[in-house]
Structure formats: C-alpha cells, structure tokens
Amino acid sequence: MSLRNPLARAKGLGSAKDGTSHWWHQRLTAIALALLTPWFVMFAVSLLGASHLAVRGAIAHPVTATLLAAFVLSLFWHARLGLQVVVEDYVHGWLEVALQVAIKFVFALAAIASLLAIGRIVFTA
C-alpha cells in the first residue's frame, strides 16, 4: 500500500532528492558566517576613520582578502538558499520559476562583482 496521493502518483511527482543537500549547504554557510561575521565587524570597525589608502592596503593583505572573499561568497550563497526556500514556499506557477532564475542570476552577478572588486584592490594596491 502506497502512502502517496493518487494524483501525485499519476503525475509522477515525488521527492526531488535535493532537500538534504540544500539543508547541509545552508547549515555550512551559516557556520561560515557565524565564524566570519565577528571578524568582518571587527575589521570594518578598525577601519573607521582610516584613509582610503589605508583601507585599500588593509584589504590588499592576502589573509584579509581571503577572509573577505570567503565572507562574501558565504553571505551570497546563504542568502540565495534562504530566498529560494521563501519563493518555493510562498510563490507558485510561472512566477516561481521566473523568481528562482532571477534570484540565481542576481546573486551570481553580485558575488562575481564582489570578488572582482576584492581582486582589483589586491592586484592593483
């Protein structure tokens, strides 16, 4: 005896087998953000009132640039995963598909722009 709804069985709908991966990625990015956010806040506060040249020099340091890139990637990935869940839960039909595609493109573009900005500071400082 199947516990599935007859309509779901007729349509062939079932688990996409993607929930566990999504859950793990969201937890891993949350852990990364929990570790990197205090560092970022302290770094940003330490640069308050600093000159433009001093800020560029601080960001250009290899360890700082690496941590900043990890923070940015974790932040955008975590935000994309969270927004994906919100759209899946509350938006349906063609608008859901359009929003999912738009979210992926916007967050990918933002992550690329952030990494290019960090790279430009590192390699031109």
Side-chain angles (χ1 to χ4, degrees):
M1 177 173 161
S2 174
L3 297 177
R4 291 178 62 200
N5 183 317
L7 181 60
R9 197 169 44 251
K11 287 183 175 181
L13 299 175
S15 171
K17 308 279 191 282
D18 192 39
T20 305
S21 173
H22 187 277
W23 186 87
W24 271 110
H25 288 150
Q26 199 163 25
R27 294 318 177 270
L28 290 174
T29 56
I31 291 168
L33 287 172
L35 296 173
L36 290 169
T37 299
W39 165 83
F40 178 74
V41 169
M42 288 188 301
F43 176 69
V45 168
S46 73
L47 293 175
L48 287 176
S51 69
H52 179 75
L53 192 58
V55 173
R56 285 182 63 103
I59 293 173
H61 190 273
V63 173
T64 304
T66 303
L67 290 174
L68 191 57
F71 176 73
V72 165
L73 287 175
S74 296
L75 184 70
F76 284 126
W77 194 2
H78 187 77
R80 185 192 66 80
L81 290 171
L83 241 101
Q84 177 184 342
V85 170
V86 170
V87 170
E88 287 171 353
D89 288 346
Y90 297 108
V91 182
H92 303 291
W94 67 270
L95 185 58
E96 178 182 6
V97 175
L99 282 174
Q100 292 290 10
V101 170
I103 287 168
K104 287 185 181 187
F105 278 119
V106 167
F107 278 99
L109 185 63
I112 290 168
S114 299
L115 292 177
L116 286 174
I118 294 168
R120 185 170 179 189
I121 290 171
V122 169
F123 296 115
T124 61

